[in-house]
Every structure is written in C-alpha cells, then in structure tokens.
Amino acid sequence: MATNGVYFQDIRRLCCTQTQVLDAAVQTINALHKKDPFDFGISLGDDCNSAQYNELRWFIDVLDGKNINPDSGVKDDPVPGPHNDYQDEYKAAGLNKTINWYQALGNHDHSGWVCSLRTITSKVPLQAIQ
C-alpha cells in the first residue's frame, strides 16, 4: 500500500509476536526431541516474511538461544516494565544442539535471506549463498 510515495506493509497480528511464537515452537521441538529423539529437523521456509535483515537475525538468534529484542522501531514500551509486552527483550531457549537442522528458502524470504546472508557472511561469495 502506498501513501504519498511512502510504502507500508499490511501487518498481521502474528508479526508482532513472531519471535515469541518461534521461541515457543523451538521449545516444543526440544521437548519432543527429549522424549523421542529424531534424526533431523527442517524448516520449509518463509521464516523472514518481509525479507528484512532484522527478521533473519531474529530467526537465527532464536535458534541459537540468544537475547532477542523484537522491537525494530522506536524504542517505546507499550506496557512499561520488563517481560510484560511483545516488545520486551527476552532470552530465547535455543534449539537443542544435538538436532541436525536444515533450512529451505520460501518465496517470502528468498531475497531477504540472500541479501541478509550476504551481509552476515560478507567474506562468502554471493554465488555460494544462492
């Protein structure tokens, strides 16, 4: 949608909590793996819905169990105080390191992955990433 040359993305409700939902999925994967270990996991893509660097960074950081700051705009705090709204920083659980993980690219994240991976791995030739 364009307004006076400025473009806005339609935002779905899930987008506000995408890192928390991914972290919950990772915790579920870890729990299932603990009960009945599986050989590998695979993500079928569309992990960076808007093909943005920050979305890719969040995805990787959630899987790696790092601190996540899901606020990508003005550092406002919708509900003042820690751990009480979707923009508060938190520590992700991280994917169990014994799970072999494979990644496919979806149509929503393809250009974002290639461009963002190029930024993250600037010493790797672009041909090796595509």
Side-chain angles (χ1 to χ4, degrees):
M1 160 178 163
T3 306
N4 296 329
V6 178
Y7 291 87
F8 297 95
Q9 174 191 342
D10 292 329
I11 296 180
R12 297 177 315 278
R13 293 176 193 238
L14 177 62
C15 288
C16 294
T17 58
Q18 66 185 7
T19 63
Q20 293 87 346
V21 171
L22 176 59
D23 188 49
V26 167
Q27 291 177 48
T28 301
I29 291 166
N30 289 343
L32 292 171
H33 181 67
K34 187 175 182 180
K35 273 185 156 183
D36 187 16
F38 38 88
D39 296 328
F40 66 92
I42 186 169
S43 175
L44 299 177
D46 286 354
D47 300 306
C48 300
N49 192 55
S50 300
Q52 295 178 176
Y53 173 81
N54 63 326
E55 291 178 333
L56 173 60
R57 190 71 263 165
W58 288 333
F59 180 77
I60 293 169
D61 289 348
V62 167
L63 291 180
D64 286 345
K66 294 187 176 179
N67 284 335
I68 307 299
N69 183 350
D71 189 352
S72 62
V74 174
K75 300 297 180 203
D76 56 350
D77 195 4
V79 181
H83 308 294
N84 61 6
D85 66 64
Y86 63 92
Q87 291 185 344
D88 288 341
E89 188 170 332
Y90 67 95
K91 172 93 167 99
L95 187 66
N96 183 315
K97 301 295 184 208
T98 65
I99 300 172
N100 294 312
W101 194 257
Y102 301 95
Q103 181 68 46
L105 299 178
N107 65 317
H108 286 249
D109 50 20
H110 184 265
S111 63
W113 273 93
V114 172
C115 295
S116 297
L117 281 173
R118 179 71 177 137
T119 302
I120 292 170
T121 60
S122 60
K123 295 180 182 173
V124 177
L126 185 57
Q127 298 86 334
I129 297 172
Q130 291 181 337

PDB file of all heavy atoms in Angstrom, residues 85-106:
ATOM      1  N   ASP A  85       5.209  -7.215  27.658  1.00  0.00           N
ATOM      2  CA  ASP A  85       4.625  -6.945  26.349  1.00  0.00           C
ATOM      3  C   ASP A  85       5.529  -7.524  25.259  1.00  0.00           C
ATOM      4  O   ASP A  85       6.660  -7.923  25.523  1.00  0.00           O
ATOM      5  CB  ASP A  85       4.326  -5.457  26.131  1.00  0.00           C
ATOM      6  CG  ASP A  85       5.570  -4.584  26.088  1.00  0.00           C
ATOM      7  OD1 ASP A  85       6.391  -4.764  25.163  1.00  0.00           O
ATOM      8  OD2 ASP A  85       5.722  -3.723  26.969  1.00  0.00           O
ATOM      9  N   TYR A  86       5.017  -7.561  24.060  1.00  0.00           N
ATOM     10  CA  TYR A  86       5.692  -8.243  22.955  1.00  0.00           C
ATOM     11  C   TYR A  86       6.980  -7.568  22.498  1.00  0.00           C
ATOM     12  O   TYR A  86       7.744  -8.166  21.745  1.00  0.00           O
ATOM     13  CB  TYR A  86       4.736  -8.389  21.768  1.00  0.00           C
ATOM     14  CG  TYR A  86       4.290  -7.067  21.173  1.00  0.00           C
ATOM     15  CD1 TYR A  86       5.001  -6.503  20.125  1.00  0.00           C
ATOM     16  CD2 TYR A  86       3.183  -6.396  21.666  1.00  0.00           C
ATOM     17  CE1 TYR A  86       4.616  -5.288  19.574  1.00  0.00           C
ATOM     18  CE2 TYR A  86       2.794  -5.185  21.120  1.00  0.00           C
ATOM     19  CZ  TYR A  86       3.501  -4.644  20.086  1.00  0.00           C
ATOM     20  OH  TYR A  86       3.121  -3.448  19.551  1.00  0.00           O
ATOM     21  N   GLN A  87       7.259  -6.349  22.927  1.00  0.00           N
ATOM     22  CA  GLN A  87       8.481  -5.678  22.507  1.00  0.00           C
ATOM     23  C   GLN A  87       9.603  -5.768  23.536  1.00  0.00           C
ATOM     24  O   GLN A  87      10.689  -5.251  23.311  1.00  0.00           O
ATOM     25  CB  GLN A  87       8.201  -4.207  22.175  1.00  0.00           C
ATOM     26  CG  GLN A  87       7.364  -4.051  20.938  1.00  0.00           C
ATOM     27  CD  GLN A  87       7.179  -2.602  20.543  1.00  0.00           C
ATOM     28  OE1 GLN A  87       7.425  -1.686  21.319  1.00  0.00           O
ATOM     29  NE2 GLN A  87       6.747  -2.382  19.324  1.00  0.00           N
ATOM     30  N   ASP A  88       9.347  -6.435  24.651  1.00  0.00           N
ATOM     31  CA  ASP A  88      10.374  -6.554  25.685  1.00  0.00           C
ATOM     32  C   ASP A  88      11.425  -7.583  25.281  1.00  0.00           C
ATOM     33  O   ASP A  88      11.106  -8.636  24.717  1.00  0.00           O
ATOM     34  CB  ASP A  88       9.754  -6.961  27.024  1.00  0.00           C
ATOM     35  CG  ASP A  88       8.965  -5.828  27.665  1.00  0.00           C
ATOM     36  OD1 ASP A  88       9.191  -4.664  27.284  1.00  0.00           O
ATOM     37  OD2 ASP A  88       8.121  -6.115  28.525  1.00  0.00           O
ATOM     38  N   GLU A  89      12.668  -7.279  25.608  1.00  0.00           N
ATOM     39  CA  GLU A  89      13.774  -8.195  25.324  1.00  0.00           C
ATOM     40  C   GLU A  89      13.634  -9.450  26.187  1.00  0.00           C
ATOM     41  O   GLU A  89      13.164  -9.384  27.320  1.00  0.00           O
ATOM     42  CB  GLU A  89      15.101  -7.504  25.616  1.00  0.00           C
ATOM     43  CG  GLU A  89      16.297  -8.310  25.162  1.00  0.00           C
ATOM     44  CD  GLU A  89      17.600  -7.530  25.237  1.00  0.00           C
ATOM     45  OE1 GLU A  89      17.573  -6.295  25.125  1.00  0.00           O
ATOM     46  OE2 GLU A  89      18.648  -8.180  25.406  1.00  0.00           O
ATOM     47  N   TYR A  90      14.028 -10.601  25.627  1.00  0.00           N
ATOM     48  CA  TYR A  90      13.983 -11.859  26.375  1.00  0.00           C
ATOM     49  C   TYR A  90      15.092 -12.787  25.880  1.00  0.00           C
ATOM     50  O   TYR A  90      15.690 -12.555  24.841  1.00  0.00           O
ATOM     51  CB  TYR A  90      12.611 -12.532  26.240  1.00  0.00           C
ATOM     52  CG  TYR A  90      12.314 -13.020  24.839  1.00  0.00           C
ATOM     53  CD1 TYR A  90      12.574 -14.343  24.485  1.00  0.00           C
ATOM     54  CD2 TYR A  90      11.793 -12.176  23.878  1.00  0.00           C
ATOM     55  CE1 TYR A  90      12.323 -14.792  23.200  1.00  0.00           C
ATOM     56  CE2 TYR A  90      11.536 -12.618  22.600  1.00  0.00           C
ATOM     57  CZ  TYR A  90      11.796 -13.926  22.263  1.00  0.00           C
ATOM     58  OH  TYR A  90      11.554 -14.363  20.989  1.00  0.00           O
ATOM     59  N   LYS A  91      15.356 -13.837  26.633  1.00  0.00           N
ATOM     60  CA  LYS A  91      16.358 -14.849  26.278  1.00  0.00           C
ATOM     61  C   LYS A  91      15.630 -16.024  25.640  1.00  0.00           C
ATOM     62  O   LYS A  91      14.768 -16.642  26.262  1.00  0.00           O
ATOM     63  CB  LYS A  91      17.108 -15.296  27.537  1.00  0.00           C
ATOM     64  CG  LYS A  91      18.038 -16.468  27.334  1.00  0.00           C
ATOM     65  CD  LYS A  91      19.427 -15.991  27.014  1.00  0.00           C
ATOM     66  CE  LYS A  91      20.432 -17.124  27.114  1.00  0.00           C
ATOM     67  NZ  LYS A  91      20.762 -17.690  25.830  1.00  0.00           N
ATOM     68  N   ALA A  92      15.983 -16.330  24.397  1.00  0.00           N
ATOM     69  CA  ALA A  92      15.370 -17.462  23.694  1.00  0.00           C
ATOM     70  C   ALA A  92      15.935 -18.777  24.229  1.00  0.00           C
ATOM     71  O   ALA A  92      17.069 -18.825  24.713  1.00  0.00           O
ATOM     72  CB  ALA A  92      15.632 -17.346  22.199  1.00  0.00           C
ATOM     73  N   ALA A  93      15.144 -19.824  24.138  1.00  0.00           N
ATOM     74  CA  ALA A  93      15.560 -21.144  24.631  1.00  0.00           C
ATOM     75  C   ALA A  93      16.689 -21.723  23.781  1.00  0.00           C
ATOM     76  O   ALA A  93      17.620 -22.324  24.297  1.00  0.00           O
ATOM     77  CB  ALA A  93      14.372 -22.100  24.637  1.00  0.00           C
ATOM     78  N   GLY A  94      16.612 -21.542  22.484  1.00  0.00           N
ATOM     79  CA  GLY A  94      17.621 -22.104  21.587  1.00  0.00           C
ATOM     80  C   GLY A  94      17.326 -23.553  21.233  1.00  0.00           C
ATOM     81  O   GLY A  94      16.830 -24.317  22.055  1.00  0.00           O
ATOM     82  N   LEU A  95      17.618 -23.903  20.002  1.00  0.00           N
ATOM     83  CA  LEU A  95      17.400 -25.266  19.518  1.00  0.00           C
ATOM     84  C   LEU A  95      18.434 -26.196  20.137  1.00  0.00           C
ATOM     85  O   LEU A  95      19.619 -25.860  20.221  1.00  0.00           O
ATOM     86  CB  LEU A  95      17.520 -25.292  17.986  1.00  0.00           C
ATOM     87  CG  LEU A  95      17.175 -26.596  17.291  1.00  0.00           C
ATOM     88  CD1 LEU A  95      15.682 -26.912  17.452  1.00  0.00           C
ATOM     89  CD2 LEU A  95      17.520 -26.511  15.815  1.00  0.00           C
ATOM     90  N   ASN A  96      17.990 -27.369  20.557  1.00  0.00           N
ATOM     91  CA  ASN A  96      18.883 -28.383  21.108  1.00  0.00           C
ATOM     92  C   ASN A  96      20.013 -28.630  20.111  1.00  0.00           C
ATOM     93  O   ASN A  96      19.772 -28.936  18.944  1.00  0.00           O
ATOM     94  CB  ASN A  96      18.088 -29.666  21.368  1.00  0.00           C
ATOM     95  CG  ASN A  96      18.910 -30.755  22.002  1.00  0.00           C
ATOM     96  OD1 ASN A  96      20.037 -31.019  21.604  1.00  0.00           O
ATOM     97  ND2 ASN A  96      18.325 -31.410  22.985  1.00  0.00           N
ATOM     98  N   LYS A  97      21.246 -28.503  20.576  1.00  0.00           N
ATOM     99  CA  LYS A  97      22.421 -28.590  19.692  1.00  0.00           C
ATOM    100  C   LYS A  97      22.620 -29.981  19.094  1.00  0.00           C
ATOM    101  O   LYS A  97      23.385 -30.146  18.150  1.00  0.00           O
ATOM    102  CB  LYS A  97      23.693 -28.171  20.436  1.00  0.00           C
ATOM    103  CG  LYS A  97      23.646 -26.763  20.993  1.00  0.00           C
ATOM    104  CD  LYS A  97      23.573 -25.729  19.916  1.00  0.00           C
ATOM    105  CE  LYS A  97      23.635 -24.339  20.510  1.00  0.00           C
ATOM    106  NZ  LYS A  97      22.986 -23.326  19.746  1.00  0.00           N
ATOM    107  N   THR A  98      21.915 -30.998  19.616  1.00  0.00           N
ATOM    108  CA  THR A  98      22.068 -32.350  19.060  1.00  0.00           C
ATOM    109  C   THR A  98      21.152 -32.589  17.857  1.00  0.00           C
ATOM    110  O   THR A  98      21.236 -33.635  17.221  1.00  0.00           O
ATOM    111  CB  THR A  98      21.791 -33.431  20.126  1.00  0.00           C
ATOM    112  OG1 THR A  98      20.422 -33.352  20.531  1.00  0.00           O
ATOM    113  CG2 THR A  98      22.715 -33.260  21.326  1.00  0.00           C
ATOM    114  N   ILE A  99      20.297 -31.619  17.566  1.00  0.00           N
ATOM    115  CA  ILE A  99      19.391 -31.752  16.417  1.00  0.00           C
ATOM    116  C   ILE A  99      20.076 -31.192  15.169  1.00  0.00           C
ATOM    117  O   ILE A  99      20.454 -30.023  15.131  1.00  0.00           O
ATOM    118  CB  ILE A  99      18.066 -31.002  16.657  1.00  0.00           C
ATOM    119  CG1 ILE A  99      17.348 -31.545  17.891  1.00  0.00           C
ATOM    120  CG2 ILE A  99      17.165 -31.087  15.425  1.00  0.00           C
ATOM    121  CD1 ILE A  99      16.130 -30.739  18.309  1.00  0.00           C
ATOM    122  N   ASN A 100      20.244 -32.036  14.160  1.00  0.00           N
ATOM    123  CA  ASN A 100      20.736 -31.554  12.866  1.00  0.00           C
ATOM    124  C   ASN A 100      19.611 -30.759  12.217  1.00  0.00           C
ATOM    125  O   ASN A 100      18.503 -31.267  12.056  1.00  0.00           O
ATOM    126  CB  ASN A 100      21.134 -32.727  11.970  1.00  0.00           C
ATOM    127  CG  ASN A 100      22.319 -33.473  12.523  1.00  0.00           C
ATOM    128  OD1 ASN A 100      23.305 -32.863  12.901  1.00  0.00           O
ATOM    129  ND2 ASN A 100      22.216 -34.786  12.592  1.00  0.00           N
ATOM    130  N   TRP A 101      19.901 -29.518  11.843  1.00  0.00           N
ATOM    131  CA  TRP A 101      18.863 -28.631  11.329  1.00  0.00           C
ATOM    132  C   TRP A 101      19.169 -28.253   9.881  1.00  0.00           C
ATOM    133  O   TRP A 101      20.288 -27.879   9.555  1.00  0.00           O
ATOM    134  CB  TRP A 101      18.769 -27.370  12.181  1.00  0.00           C
ATOM    135  CG  TRP A 101      17.519 -26.601  11.913  1.00  0.00           C
ATOM    136  CD1 TRP A 101      17.407 -25.458  11.165  1.00  0.00           C
ATOM    137  CD2 TRP A 101      16.208 -26.919  12.351  1.00  0.00           C
ATOM    138  NE1 TRP A 101      16.100 -25.048  11.120  1.00  0.00           N
ATOM    139  CE2 TRP A 101      15.335 -25.937  11.841  1.00  0.00           C
ATOM    140  CE3 TRP A 101      15.667 -27.955  13.116  1.00  0.00           C
ATOM    141  CZ2 TRP A 101      13.974 -25.947  12.087  1.00  0.00           C
ATOM    142  CZ3 TRP A 101      14.311 -27.960  13.354  1.00  0.00           C
ATOM    143  CH2 TRP A 101      13.477 -26.966  12.847  1.00  0.00           C
ATOM    144  N   TYR A 102      18.152 -28.333   9.040  1.00  0.00           N
ATOM    145  CA  TYR A 102      18.276 -27.973   7.630  1.00  0.00           C
ATOM    146  C   TYR A 102      17.274 -26.883   7.309  1.00  0.00           C
ATOM    147  O   TYR A 102      16.187 -26.833   7.886  1.00  0.00           O
ATOM    148  CB  TYR A 102      18.043 -29.200   6.740  1.00  0.00           C
ATOM    149  CG  TYR A 102      19.030 -30.297   7.032  1.00  0.00           C
ATOM    150  CD1 TYR A 102      18.702 -31.326   7.907  1.00  0.00           C
ATOM    151  CD2 TYR A 102      20.301 -30.280   6.465  1.00  0.00           C
ATOM    152  CE1 TYR A 102      19.623 -32.328   8.202  1.00  0.00           C
ATOM    153  CE2 TYR A 102      21.220 -31.280   6.760  1.00  0.00           C
ATOM    154  CZ  TYR A 102      20.868 -32.292   7.623  1.00  0.00           C
ATOM    155  OH  TYR A 102      21.788 -33.265   7.920  1.00  0.00           O
ATOM    156  N   GLN A 103      17.633 -26.038   6.374  1.00  0.00           N
ATOM    157  CA  GLN A 103      16.818 -24.872   6.062  1.00  0.00           C
ATOM    158  C   GLN A 103      16.542 -24.790   4.569  1.00  0.00           C
ATOM    159  O   GLN A 103      17.461 -24.869   3.763  1.00  0.00           O
ATOM    160  CB  GLN A 103      17.560 -23.596   6.497  1.00  0.00           C
ATOM    161  CG  GLN A 103      16.815 -22.321   6.260  1.00  0.00           C
ATOM    162  CD  GLN A 103      15.591 -22.219   7.149  1.00  0.00           C
ATOM    163  OE1 GLN A 103      15.649 -22.487   8.341  1.00  0.00           O
ATOM    164  NE2 GLN A 103      14.471 -21.835   6.564  1.00  0.00           N
ATOM    165  N   ALA A 104      15.274 -24.645   4.212  1.00  0.00           N
ATOM    166  CA  ALA A 104      14.875 -24.364   2.830  1.00  0.00           C
ATOM    167  C   ALA A 104      14.429 -22.902   2.762  1.00  0.00           C
ATOM    168  O   ALA A 104      14.063 -22.311   3.773  1.00  0.00           O
ATOM    169  CB  ALA A 104      13.735 -25.278   2.400  1.00  0.00           C
ATOM    170  N   LEU A 105      14.494 -22.333   1.592  1.00  0.00           N
ATOM    171  CA  LEU A 105      14.060 -20.951   1.406  1.00  0.00           C
ATOM    172  C   LEU A 105      12.655 -20.922   0.831  1.00  0.00           C
ATOM    173  O   LEU A 105      12.345 -21.639  -0.110  1.00  0.00           O
ATOM    174  CB  LEU A 105      15.009 -20.219   0.452  1.00  0.00           C
ATOM    175  CG  LEU A 105      16.458 -20.115   0.910  1.00  0.00           C
ATOM    176  CD1 LEU A 105      17.293 -19.412  -0.156  1.00  0.00           C
ATOM    177  CD2 LEU A 105      16.556 -19.384   2.224  1.00  0.00           C
ATOM    178  N   GLY A 106      11.816 -20.079   1.410  1.00  0.00           N
ATOM    179  CA  GLY A 106      10.461 -19.907   0.906  1.00  0.00           C
ATOM    180  C   GLY A 106      10.373 -18.677   0.028  1.00  0.00           C
ATOM    181  O   GLY A 106      11.311 -17.885  -0.072  1.00  0.00           O
TER     182      GLY A 106
END
